[in-house]
Amino acid sequence: MSDGERALADSQGKFVQVVKDGRKRNDIEWLPGRVVLSNKRLVLATNRGKRTLPLSKLTSVTASQMNQSLAQVDSYIKLQAGRDVWLVSAAAEAFEVELYRALLDQIVVLVRHPAVKGGVVQDSGWEKARLKIDDENDETIDLATAGGTFVELDVDDVGTVEAKRKEIRGDERPLLEVGHTIDGTSVETYISGTPRHVSLIEGLVRQGEQRNAADDVDLSAEETQVLMALYSGISPFKIPDFVDMETEDVEAVYDRLIEADILEPVRTRREVQLEARGRSIAGEAIADQ
């Protein structure tokens, strides 16, 4: 390896190039081999030779699930480098995390936090922040702002992600609006930066959004009302008065929503907080009003 280069992961796996020079390939074949990751490049090696992908050339990384019994591939990572696209399935569980760390650790982005809290737009401004994948919890993105604020964004707790372009600090920039929770409160954190950095962050946070997608859920009017109140920041103890329902009826709603993985109990029986799936459902319900 070259000076300053260090190995991060070395795994058996399978891979295939599905787009070459912007054209989809029809003669695709999953190739078994070694997947070797360093802090500077990804090497896909077979007994026929090897292909090196510089990490600096990767513009998009997304994780996907698939049923490919012939290739015996259950999941893969889609890597885009310019006009080429590769699918890589590595046996090592740590491979995906190490790849995101190599691509995103210590980058500087612009952050507005909280941009929205409890459904209410805040007057927070944009700040520079240094991004890091948490050392202890690889599902958490840590953002340390220049002003001293520390934001923890749990990918597994992301309910919504919107990608936009807006004028920020006088320039039109790519923007991610990420809905998640902090201490049980629904918030939105806005992240902007270079197109490449925003694309890579989007691939990571959308994994949480996909896991917590608001599938078709048949909720009663009372259940929807309770969800919307919680989403707006109303204390669980004040929900009965706020929605004009008897306490035991609200308790019954909590039971049903906890069973559906939309709420989770916190400490005492009557205190609850929204799960990511619940925030997604409540956000859609509010938008439909």
Side-chain angles (χ1 to χ4, degrees), residues 80-153:
Q80 182 165 353
R83 291 162 57 83
D84 295 338
V85 177
W86 288 79
L87 307 183
V88 178
S89 178
E93 293 183 3
F95 172 75
E96 182 183 335
V97 173
E98 292 300 335
L99 177 60
Y100 272 117
R101 279 203 174 103
L103 291 167
L104 294 175
D105 262 5
Q106 304 305 319
I107 66 169
V108 175
V109 294
L110 287 173
V111 171
R112 184 180 165 202
H113 174 85
V116 180
K117 185 176 182 180
V120 179
V121 176
Q122 306 294 298
D123 60 359
S124 52
W126 288 96
E127 292 185 274
K128 284 186 177 181
R130 191 168 295 278
L131 184 149
K132 190 177 189 304
I133 308 297
D134 194 276
D135 291 330
E136 296 183 2
N137 182 359
D138 53 34
E139 285 286 321
T140 299
I141 298 173
D142 296 332
L143 296 164
T145 72
T149 302
F150 186 75
V151 182
E152 289 187 341
L153 200 165

Side-chain angles (χ1 to χ4, degrees), residues 20-50:
K20 185 175 182 179
D21 259 350
R23 294 185 178 184
K24 290 185 179 179
R25 298 181 60 193
N26 296 320
D27 58 336
I28 65 172
E29 175 189 1
W30 285 90
L31 301 174
R34 285 177 64 196
V35 180
V36 182
L37 174 69
S38 78
N39 59 320
K40 293 188 177 182
R41 56 184 168 162
L42 177 66
V43 178
L44 308 175
T46 71
N47 54 12
R48 305 180 192 177
K50 66 180 181 180

